[in-house]
Amino acid sequence: NTKATTWMKYEDEAVRAYENQMKKLKLTRCSLFVNEQHPFLNATSDFLTECDYCGLGCDEVKGSTFMNN
């Protein structure tokens, strides 16, 4: 493990905390999206959201490198 990757073990916990904080949120885990017309274009996300207040969203969890715990 490196400092850059150790935060990943907290990713599921971070997603659950976000889901619990938001009201009326549908969260769907996902990974790679590839553009059908231009397959060399792609994006990775951790989850898609559907919220009564915010609408549709695409989110990526990032960890802070300065966190101790």
Side-chain angles (χ1 to χ4, degrees), residues 3-22:
K3 286 185 178 181
T5 59
T6 55
W7 64 268
M8 292 174 66
K9 65 182 177 182
Y10 300 110
E11 184 174 306
D12 287 335
E13 184 179 337
V15 171
R16 280 193 305 275
Y18 177 75
E19 190 172 19
N20 291 335
Q21 184 69 27
M22 300 296 290

Side-chain angles (χ1 to χ4, degrees), residues 20-60:
N20 291 335
Q21 184 69 27
M22 300 296 290
K23 304 297 182 213
K24 303 210 179 212
L25 176 77
K26 178 183 175 189
L27 186 140
T28 306
R29 296 297 294 236
C30 62
S31 58
L32 179 66
F33 291 92
V34 178
N35 184 299
E36 291 180 2
Q37 294 178 340
H38 306 284
F40 56 89
L41 297 175
N42 58 69
T44 58
S45 295
D46 289 322
F47 56 93
L48 301 175
T49 57
E50 186 177 337
C51 174
D52 287 352
Y53 304 106
C54 305
L56 300 176
C58 176
D59 296 296
E60 175 75 24

